[in-house]
mmCIF file with all atom_site columns, all heavy atoms in Angstrom:
data_model
loop_
_atom_site.group_PDB
_atom_site.id
_atom_site.type_symbol
_atom_site.label_atom_id
_atom_site.label_alt_id
_atom_site.label_comp_id
_atom_site.label_asym_id
_atom_site.label_entity_id
_atom_site.label_seq_id
_atom_site.pdbx_PDB_ins_code
_atom_site.Cartn_x
_atom_site.Cartn_y
_atom_site.Cartn_z
_atom_site.occupancy
_atom_site.B_iso_or_equiv
_atom_site.pdbx_formal_charge
_atom_site.auth_seq_id
_atom_site.auth_comp_id
_atom_site.auth_asym_id
_atom_site.auth_atom_id
_atom_site.pdbx_PDB_model_num
ATOM   1  N  N   . PRO A 1 42  ? -7.858 15.764 -6.626  1.00 94.00 ? 155 PRO A N   1
ATOM   2  C  CA  . PRO A 1 42  ? -6.816 16.549 -7.295  1.00 94.00 ? 155 PRO A CA  1
ATOM   3  C  C   . PRO A 1 42  ? -5.465 16.432 -6.592  1.00 94.00 ? 155 PRO A C   1
ATOM   4  O  O   . PRO A 1 42  ? -5.400 16.023 -5.423  1.00 94.00 ? 155 PRO A O   1
ATOM   5  C  CB  . PRO A 1 42  ? -7.328 17.986 -7.211  1.00 94.00 ? 155 PRO A CB  1
ATOM   6  C  CG  . PRO A 1 42  ? -8.743 17.922 -6.753  1.00 94.00 ? 155 PRO A CG  1
ATOM   7  C  CD  . PRO A 1 42  ? -8.956 16.585 -6.115  1.00 94.00 ? 155 PRO A CD  1
ATOM   8  N  N   . SER A 1 43  ? -4.404 16.819 -7.296  1.00 94.00 ? 156 SER A N   1
ATOM   9  C  CA  . SER A 1 43  ? -3.072 16.836 -6.698  1.00 94.00 ? 156 SER A CA  1
ATOM   10 C  C   . SER A 1 43  ? -3.075 17.758 -5.475  1.00 94.00 ? 156 SER A C   1
ATOM   11 O  O   . SER A 1 43  ? -3.644 18.846 -5.509  1.00 94.00 ? 156 SER A O   1
ATOM   12 C  CB  . SER A 1 43  ? -2.075 17.344 -7.753  1.00 94.00 ? 156 SER A CB  1
ATOM   13 O  OG  . SER A 1 43  ? -0.789 17.303 -7.227  1.00 94.00 ? 156 SER A OG  1
ATOM   14 N  N   . GLY A 1 44  ? -2.480 17.297 -4.396  1.00 94.00 ? 157 GLY A N   1
ATOM   15 C  CA  . GLY A 1 44  ? -2.407 18.102 -3.176  1.00 94.00 ? 157 GLY A CA  1
ATOM   16 C  C   . GLY A 1 44  ? -3.650 18.009 -2.302  1.00 94.00 ? 157 GLY A C   1
ATOM   17 O  O   . GLY A 1 44  ? -3.740 18.665 -1.268  1.00 94.00 ? 157 GLY A O   1
ATOM   18 N  N   . SER A 1 45  ? -4.620 17.150 -2.677  1.00 96.00 ? 158 SER A N   1
ATOM   19 C  CA  . SER A 1 45  ? -5.876 17.095 -1.914  1.00 96.00 ? 158 SER A CA  1
ATOM   20 C  C   . SER A 1 45  ? -5.764 16.260 -0.639  1.00 96.00 ? 158 SER A C   1
ATOM   21 O  O   . SER A 1 45  ? -6.665 16.283 0.188   1.00 96.00 ? 158 SER A O   1
ATOM   22 C  CB  . SER A 1 45  ? -7.002 16.552 -2.803  1.00 96.00 ? 158 SER A CB  1
ATOM   23 O  OG  . SER A 1 45  ? -6.667 15.272 -3.300  1.00 96.00 ? 158 SER A OG  1
ATOM   24 N  N   . GLY A 1 46  ? -4.664 15.502 -0.493  1.00 96.00 ? 159 GLY A N   1
ATOM   25 C  CA  . GLY A 1 46  ? -4.478 14.751 0.747   1.00 96.00 ? 159 GLY A CA  1
ATOM   26 C  C   . GLY A 1 46  ? -4.509 13.236 0.589   1.00 96.00 ? 159 GLY A C   1
ATOM   27 O  O   . GLY A 1 46  ? -4.533 12.509 1.587   1.00 96.00 ? 159 GLY A O   1
ATOM   28 N  N   . LYS A 1 47  ? -4.459 12.745 -0.646  1.00 96.00 ? 160 LYS A N   1
ATOM   29 C  CA  . LYS A 1 47  ? -4.584 11.299 -0.883  1.00 96.00 ? 160 LYS A CA  1
ATOM   30 C  C   . LYS A 1 47  ? -3.430 10.508 -0.257  1.00 96.00 ? 160 LYS A C   1
ATOM   31 O  O   . LYS A 1 47  ? -3.647 9.509  0.425   1.00 96.00 ? 160 LYS A O   1
ATOM   32 C  CB  . LYS A 1 47  ? -4.638 11.009 -2.396  1.00 96.00 ? 160 LYS A CB  1
ATOM   33 C  CG  . LYS A 1 47  ? -5.757 11.733 -3.123  1.00 96.00 ? 160 LYS A CG  1
ATOM   34 C  CD  . LYS A 1 47  ? -5.780 11.387 -4.600  1.00 96.00 ? 160 LYS A CD  1
ATOM   35 C  CE  . LYS A 1 47  ? -4.540 11.803 -5.376  1.00 96.00 ? 160 LYS A CE  1
ATOM   36 N  NZ  . LYS A 1 47  ? -4.319 13.269 -5.423  1.00 96.00 ? 160 LYS A NZ  1
ATOM   37 N  N   . SER A 1 48  ? -2.195 10.955 -0.510  1.00 95.00 ? 161 SER A N   1
ATOM   38 C  CA  . SER A 1 48  ? -1.044 10.217 0.044   1.00 95.00 ? 161 SER A CA  1
ATOM   39 C  C   . SER A 1 48  ? -1.010 10.329 1.562   1.00 95.00 ? 161 SER A C   1
ATOM   40 O  O   . SER A 1 48  ? -0.673 9.366  2.254   1.00 95.00 ? 161 SER A O   1
ATOM   41 C  CB  . SER A 1 48  ? 0.267  10.735 -0.552  1.00 95.00 ? 161 SER A CB  1
ATOM   42 O  OG  . SER A 1 48  ? 0.308  10.469 -1.936  1.00 95.00 ? 161 SER A OG  1
ATOM   43 N  N   . THR A 1 49  ? -1.383 11.503 2.076   1.00 96.00 ? 162 THR A N   1
ATOM   44 C  CA  . THR A 1 49  ? -1.445 11.683 3.528   1.00 96.00 ? 162 THR A CA  1
ATOM   45 C  C   . THR A 1 49  ? -2.418 10.672 4.127   1.00 96.00 ? 162 THR A C   1
ATOM   46 O  O   . THR A 1 49  ? -2.113 10.002 5.124   1.00 96.00 ? 162 THR A O   1
ATOM   47 C  CB  . THR A 1 49  ? -1.906 13.123 3.849   1.00 96.00 ? 162 THR A CB  1
ATOM   48 O  OG1 . THR A 1 49  ? -1.005 14.033 3.221   1.00 96.00 ? 162 THR A OG1 1
ATOM   49 C  CG2 . THR A 1 49  ? -1.950 13.372 5.342   1.00 96.00 ? 162 THR A CG2 1
ATOM   50 N  N   . GLN A 1 93  ? 4.282  4.157  -6.625  1.00 88.00 ? 206 GLN A N   1
ATOM   51 C  CA  . GLN A 1 93  ? 4.379  4.498  -8.060  1.00 88.00 ? 206 GLN A CA  1
ATOM   52 C  C   . GLN A 1 93  ? 5.750  4.146  -8.634  1.00 88.00 ? 206 GLN A C   1
ATOM   53 O  O   . GLN A 1 93  ? 5.859  3.706  -9.762  1.00 88.00 ? 206 GLN A O   1
ATOM   54 C  CB  . GLN A 1 93  ? 4.094  5.995  -8.210  1.00 88.00 ? 206 GLN A CB  1
ATOM   55 C  CG  . GLN A 1 93  ? 4.206  6.496  -9.627  1.00 88.00 ? 206 GLN A CG  1
ATOM   56 C  CD  . GLN A 1 93  ? 3.751  7.939  -9.742  1.00 88.00 ? 206 GLN A CD  1
ATOM   57 O  OE1 . GLN A 1 93  ? 3.320  8.560  -8.766  1.00 88.00 ? 206 GLN A OE1 1
ATOM   58 N  NE2 . GLN A 1 93  ? 3.840  8.465  -10.945 1.00 88.00 ? 206 GLN A NE2 1
ATOM   59 N  N   . ASP A 1 169 ? -0.191 3.475  -3.753  1.00 95.00 ? 282 ASP A N   1
ATOM   60 C  CA  . ASP A 1 169 ? -0.200 4.898  -4.118  1.00 95.00 ? 282 ASP A CA  1
ATOM   61 C  C   . ASP A 1 169 ? 0.193  5.030  -5.584  1.00 95.00 ? 282 ASP A C   1
ATOM   62 O  O   . ASP A 1 169 ? 1.363  4.874  -5.917  1.00 95.00 ? 282 ASP A O   1
ATOM   63 C  CB  . ASP A 1 169 ? 0.757  5.684  -3.215  1.00 95.00 ? 282 ASP A CB  1
ATOM   64 C  CG  . ASP A 1 169 ? 0.420  7.176  -3.178  1.00 95.00 ? 282 ASP A CG  1
ATOM   65 O  OD1 . ASP A 1 169 ? -0.377 7.624  -4.032  1.00 95.00 ? 282 ASP A OD1 1
ATOM   66 O  OD2 . ASP A 1 169 ? 0.942  7.883  -2.306  1.00 95.00 ? 282 ASP A OD2 1
ATOM   67 N  N   . GLU A 1 170 ? -0.777 5.266  -6.452  1.00 92.00 ? 283 GLU A N   1
ATOM   68 C  CA  . GLU A 1 170 ? -0.554 5.408  -7.900  1.00 92.00 ? 283 GLU A CA  1
ATOM   69 C  C   . GLU A 1 170 ? 0.277  4.242  -8.464  1.00 92.00 ? 283 GLU A C   1
ATOM   70 O  O   . GLU A 1 170 ? 1.296  4.469  -9.116  1.00 92.00 ? 283 GLU A O   1
ATOM   71 C  CB  . GLU A 1 170 ? 0.174  6.728  -8.203  1.00 92.00 ? 283 GLU A CB  1
ATOM   72 C  CG  . GLU A 1 170 ? -0.575 7.968  -7.777  1.00 92.00 ? 283 GLU A CG  1
ATOM   73 C  CD  . GLU A 1 170 ? -1.459 8.536  -8.879  1.00 92.00 ? 283 GLU A CD  1
ATOM   74 O  OE1 . GLU A 1 170 ? -1.516 7.955  -9.979  1.00 92.00 ? 283 GLU A OE1 1
ATOM   75 O  OE2 . GLU A 1 170 ? -2.109 9.554  -8.615  1.00 92.00 ? 283 GLU A OE2 1
ATOM   76 N  N   . VAL A 1 200 ? -4.763 4.573  -4.517  1.00 97.00 ? 313 VAL A N   1
ATOM   77 C  CA  . VAL A 1 200 ? -4.847 5.992  -4.877  1.00 97.00 ? 313 VAL A CA  1
ATOM   78 C  C   . VAL A 1 200 ? -4.579 6.112  -6.369  1.00 97.00 ? 313 VAL A C   1
ATOM   79 O  O   . VAL A 1 200 ? -3.616 5.533  -6.875  1.00 97.00 ? 313 VAL A O   1
ATOM   80 C  CB  . VAL A 1 200 ? -3.789 6.807  -4.090  1.00 97.00 ? 313 VAL A CB  1
ATOM   81 C  CG1 . VAL A 1 200 ? -3.629 8.202  -4.687  1.00 97.00 ? 313 VAL A CG1 1
ATOM   82 C  CG2 . VAL A 1 200 ? -4.157 6.895  -2.616  1.00 97.00 ? 313 VAL A CG2 1
ATOM   83 N  N   . HIS A 1 202 ? -5.251 8.854  -10.071 1.00 91.00 ? 315 HIS A N   1
ATOM   84 C  CA  . HIS A 1 202 ? -5.835 10.012 -10.759 1.00 91.00 ? 315 HIS A CA  1
ATOM   85 C  C   . HIS A 1 202 ? -6.731 9.532  -11.893 1.00 91.00 ? 315 HIS A C   1
ATOM   86 O  O   . HIS A 1 202 ? -7.431 10.316 -12.512 1.00 91.00 ? 315 HIS A O   1
ATOM   87 C  CB  . HIS A 1 202 ? -4.727 10.840 -11.429 1.00 91.00 ? 315 HIS A CB  1
ATOM   88 C  CG  . HIS A 1 202 ? -3.967 11.693 -10.495 1.00 91.00 ? 315 HIS A CG  1
ATOM   89 N  ND1 . HIS A 1 202 ? -2.668 11.433 -10.128 1.00 91.00 ? 315 HIS A ND1 1
ATOM   90 C  CD2 . HIS A 1 202 ? -4.323 12.826 -9.851  1.00 91.00 ? 315 HIS A CD2 1
ATOM   91 C  CE1 . HIS A 1 202 ? -2.271 12.374 -9.298  1.00 91.00 ? 315 HIS A CE1 1
ATOM   92 N  NE2 . HIS A 1 202 ? -3.243 13.220 -9.113  1.00 91.00 ? 315 HIS A NE2 1
HETATM 93 MG MG1 . MG  Q 2 .   ? 0.211  11.696 -3.535  1.00 69.12 ? 423 MG  Q MG1 1
#
Side-chain angles (χ1 to χ4, degrees):
S156 183
S158 58
K160 303 181 297 296
S161 295
T162 303
Q206 178 173 358
D282 201 347
E283 299 268 1
V313 166
H315 282 108

